[in-house]
Amino acid sequence: MKYVKGMYAVMALMITVNLISEYIFKSNYSAIASWITVALFFFGTLFFINTRYVFSKQKNGR
């Protein structure tokens, strides 16, 4: 369950970065926000890969 919460936190951070970029900074820093969003996407992908690995080990009984 902690992996699902971690993936949810990463998704919420991605949306927060976009909202801050658009509404608070008026798109002045949209390129930086895009790079942060991409980095968070890769971080979320690592959560997903780790979760699949852990669940496959549990399923196989190791």
Side-chain angles (χ1 to χ4, degrees), residues 10-41:
V10 169
M11 183 182 65
L13 280 172
M14 289 171 68
I15 292 171
T16 303
V17 166
N18 283 329
L19 289 175
I20 288 172
S21 170
E22 292 296 320
Y23 294 110
I24 294 177
F25 295 125
K26 307 289 188 222
S27 297
N28 290 333
Y29 301 103
S30 62
I32 295 171
S34 294
W35 279 106
I36 292 171
T37 302
V38 168
L40 288 171
F41 174 77

